[in-house]
Amino acid sequence: MFSCWTRRQKANMSKAKATQPQVIHKVIMVGSGGVGKSALTLQFMYDEFVEDYEPTKADSYRKKVVLDGEEVQIDILDTAGQEDYAAIRDNYFRSGEGFLCVFSITEQESFQATADFREQILRVKNDDNIPFLLVGNKADLEEKRQVTVDEAQQRAQQWSVPYVETSAKTRANVDKVFYDLMREIRSRKMEATRQSNGKPKKKKEKRRKCTLL
Amino acid sequence: MPAQEGEDAPLLPPDTPLKIMEEEKPLLPGVTVRAATPERLVHLCVESFGDDGDLIDDSEYPSVLFLMHKWFMTSEELGKAFVDIYQSCDETILCTKPGCIHLHSNKGCEIQAYKAKICYAVRYWITNFPVHFDLDTHLKSVIRKFGTLVNSEGNHMFKELIDLSKVPSYDWMRNMSVRPGNSMRHNRKVSLVFNHLEPLELAEHLTWLEYKAFRRINFTDFKNYAMTASLKDNPKLERSIALFNGLSQWIQCMVLSKTTPQQRADVIVKFVNVAKKLRTLKNFNTLMSVVGGLTHSALARLAKTNACIPSETQKTMMEYTELLSSNNNFSNYRKVFNQCPGFKIPILGVHLKDLILLHTALPDRVEGNLINFRKMAQLSQTLKELTKLQNHEAPPVCANMDLVNTLRLSLDLHYTEDEIYELSLAREPRNSLSSVSETPSTPTKPVVFADWLAGVSPPDPNTINKHVHDMVEAVFKNYDHDKDGFISHAEFEAIAGNFPFIDSFCVLDADQDGMISKAEMKTYFFTANCHALRNSFKHDFHEYTYFKPTFCIHCTGLLWGLIKQGWKCKDCGINAHKHCKDLVVMECRSKQHAACNRRLDSVSNGPSPHQDLTYSSKRKMSQRQKRNRVHVGTQTEEAYFTDLSRHINGNWGIRDKLIAENKQLKEKLEQSNEQNIMLKSHLGVIRKNTIAFILEQMDALNIQRDTEV
């Protein structure tokens, strides 16, 4: 075993031990290979250039963040490298509370693939209102754009999910997509607890954006 | 570090730009370099060896360099770098021994000592990474030249060190297909039938397949995948992933092919037992595939089936789900895997992810053009594990090639996720409460071999052909007990159990003689597989004028108009709207089929050849339509019907008409089939008569000739 712990990881470890039940939002990154899922994940996790990144640590993809004044943890499952393991994708999706469905605006094929991911997620979660963001990455490569904002927005509208363009390179909108998704997840969770506390309703009519917060 | 390094350091010209950055805290023992130029990296490697040829302080640096060098330079370049250093030794190394003339016979000469270390380093490379040498002819020739150079200086001890003749052959890494090794000759007796297979046998043979597919993937394949995240031009990795997906789906299909919950539960229990054995064999990759298949939502949702699974089995399954869970970055798996000694197969996907993320997080070069060696050290930890199997001995299993061949083909046959899920819905429909938006559950319908998974392209026809050949040979070897080259009905049924949703005996028995010959079986499996290939979906459509009402294969709507109402495939005869023809999801059945139909039509003088075709194609289509296509289909259908309702009152009338027509056509088809059989027997009689006649004629001729003579 190697024992090169960075300061941050040590800090994370001790904190994880110290603090007990904290809200964890589980986010899953999906999308074809090479669209920049990992780059987005790393940008969000480690902000800047990482020198001592350690991919095998248990808490490599967990981070404490302050979401609208509340301290929560985000747990990111990046499906990079496993896109082609179609048979077990299903199992990964099950644990997710929210999904960032990423494609590259420079690759039409990756945009087409989002429909398959969406369908599979809906089937596994059996929930049409699962927190979900359509993310067009590599927005810095405008000159190589193959997917127009219009068609992406159209698709997002059809699914009634937000569409955001990001760039892992310039860091544009990177925080936004993760925070937006966490807000969705949180409001879903609150809705769920309200329902279980209140009268057990059979089916909720429509997802509503939580306007209280 | 020994004195050597201290002496070497001042040799660097003082005015050169930064050539090396040191680590404050080495990640691995001996890897003290943070980043450096390639030349410096090679020097460091040489200096990791002591005068006796042993590694100083068990440094891991040389092994990391040799393992990782292909990330930033070719093996040929690295080999040349060693040669360059060797050649420039006389100028760069300062020998402090008084009166030394720097010949190899001079004891204590520092130049000679350095040269020896270079040879030790190369020897280390050869012994620890022989695969580099066997597969890379450029590198081989560099080292051979090096040998000549060393020899010319008269140093035979050095020559001995860099001898390549003992490098084993890695020929198997060049091949795509898995061939039986010599160790597999002592075949043990096993059954090829799933129901009779012991979990241990199944686990061992799956491990054998996994091992063979896994160890072929070389460093460059991993590197390319880490950099591009694409399987393009990466056939070995693709093959391994196809095996993984194939197994997972085979398990789901084997379960879903059973009709009662108890039967399905029995199959699940069997595969959980297989999983146990895989865990014992430390084959984590196959274990992941099996557990992934068993916990897939297509099976997990089967409440009735799950109720039949004994609690002990459920506990085991929970345990494995926990072990392989993605929680905490697969921490459970990582812990267990690192603790396992000896033979083991890692979960490829997990480690591929590590590689991709490391590559994304860390740049290859830093500070201008220095190679980021810290990145190499980090990558090496994963790659060491992944490439270890290449040099590892065969797994502790003894494989029966017949079973391997049978299994391999079973895993070749692919279904789409949608098809499997639909089948699951058909077996145990959703209760109406839980779903609103879902399509209504479909009646049980046979699933046919279909599309491949996105991303993983199917093996090329030659590979499949070979697999089919091997498997059929295996089946005949084991099941053709009377060795007459045919397989009986009962024997076939036993084999069919391994292939969920195989067609019935009669379909395989093409000539209907009550027996299946080798050729028939091969043809069947090969065409079954061909249907899976995308290109078989290509039809040869041409505009066509119909004289009878004809329906579109895709949207089932009528082909409207007086002339050129639709498009017809020249090969298989299906009909479609102009706008539907590109959406047709039915494969182009061979000409043979269509030809057969046509012949039948012309002979029987049936009322409408097109209608017959339309009917049978329609039926095929309904079998094949995938869920997502159904959505499209319904939309078009709706549009069509609204359009139609302007002309005719209501949709129901048409539907009823169609049903009635269907019935009629079905009857016609049955009649035609009967006629077909009758005609075939006629044909047989005629053939016999003809042959008899010819023989008679020949006899007569012979007699004539004889008499003339």
Side-chain angles (χ1 to χ4, degrees), chain B residues 422 425 430 435-442 627 630-631 634:
Chain B
E422 239 186 275
L425 285 173
R430 269 201 191 97
S435 80
V436 188
S437 61
E438 281 300 327
T439 46
S441 66
T442 39
R627 198 169 130 244
V630 172
H631 287 311
T634 7

Side-chain angles (χ1 to χ4, degrees), chain A residues 53 55 57 84 90-91 94, chain B residues 245 295 297 329 378 381 418:
Chain A
Y53 166 66
K57 281 265 171 280
D84 297 302
D90 179 288
N91 304 57
R94 213 169 303 161
Chain B
N245 288 335
T295 55
S297 49
N329 195 12
Q378 285 196 298
Q381 297 178 10
D418 294 318

Side-chain angles (χ1 to χ4, degrees), chain B residues 191-203 206 250-251 254-255 258 262-278 287 290-291 294 308-310 313-314 316-317 320 403 407 497-498:
Chain B
S191 165
L192 301 188
V193 177
F194 179 74
N195 291 339
H196 304 159
L197 273 173
E198 291 298 320
L200 180 64
E201 283 168 341
L202 208 48
L206 289 171
W250 182 59
I251 290 168
M254 287 301 282
V255 173
K258 302 287 184 248
Q262 185 58 53
Q263 285 172 328
R264 288 195 288 272
D266 291 345
V267 179
I268 291 177
V269 171
K270 183 158 187 167
F271 277 115
V272 171
N273 289 330
V274 172
K276 271 191 202 164
K277 302 294 177 192
L278 289 168
L287 181 64
V290 171
V291 174
L294 289 173
C308 298
I309 299 174
T313 309
Q314 273 173 339
T316 316
M317 210 143 91
Y320 288 146
L403 181 54
L407 277 177
N498 297 14

Side-chain angles (χ1 to χ4, degrees), chain A residues 105-123:
Chain A
I105 63 154
T106 64
E107 198 197 327
Q108 183 68 35
E109 232 179 341
S110 71
F111 177 61
Q112 297 310 329
T114 57
D116 294 335
F117 284 111
R118 166 93 181 161
E119 197 189 341
Q120 200 171 4
I121 290 166
L122 292 189
R123 191 167 67 202

Side-chain angles (χ1 to χ4, degrees), chain A residues 2 34 49-51 53 55-58 61-62 78 80-81 84-87 90-92 94 120 123 128, chain B residues 225 231 241 244-245 248 295-297 328-330 334 348 353-354 357 362-363 374 378 381 417-418 421 437:
Chain A
F2 29 89
F49 177 67
V50 262
E51 282 212 337
Y53 166 66
T56 57
K57 281 265 171 280
Y61 306 103
R62 198 170 271 193
D78 186 350
D84 297 302
Y85 287 91
D90 179 288
N91 304 57
Y92 287 145
R94 213 169 303 161
Q120 200 171 4
R123 191 167 67 202
D128 284 351
Chain B
Y225 192 74
L231 286 177
I241 294 179
F244 184 101
N245 288 335
S248 196
T295 55
H296 193 281
S297 49
N328 294 324
N329 195 12
F330 299 93
R334 289 184 202 271
L348 192 48
K353 174 188 171 185
D354 293 346
L357 276 145
L362 307 171
R374 183 188 286 172
Q378 285 196 298
Q381 297 178 10
E417 289 272 310
D418 294 318
Y421 200 77
S437 61

Side-chain angles (χ1 to χ4, degrees), chain A residues 2-18:
Chain A
F2 29 89
S3 51
C4 174
W5 283 10
T6 64
R7 263 148 279 137
R8 185 186 48 250
Q9 278 163 339
K10 265 186 202 158
N12 269 357
M13 287 295 281
S14 54
K15 262 189 224 164
K17 269 173 205 156

Side-chain angles (χ1 to χ4, degrees), chain B residues 416 418-419 422 442 445-446 448 553-556 583 585-586 618-634 637:
Chain B
T416 64
D418 294 318
E419 278 172 322
E422 239 186 275
T442 39
K445 51 191 180 185
V448 275
I553 185 85
H554 180 70
C555 69
T556 67
L583 302 171
V585 289
M586 203 190 85
K618 247 194 240 169
R619 194 193 48 170
K620 278 183 215 152
M621 179 199 62
S622 73
Q623 289 172 356
R624 306 208 82 262
Q625 257 179 350
K626 296 187 301 174
R627 198 169 130 244
N628 54 347
R629 313 272 185 186
V630 172
H631 287 311
V632 181
T634 7
E637 210 171 352

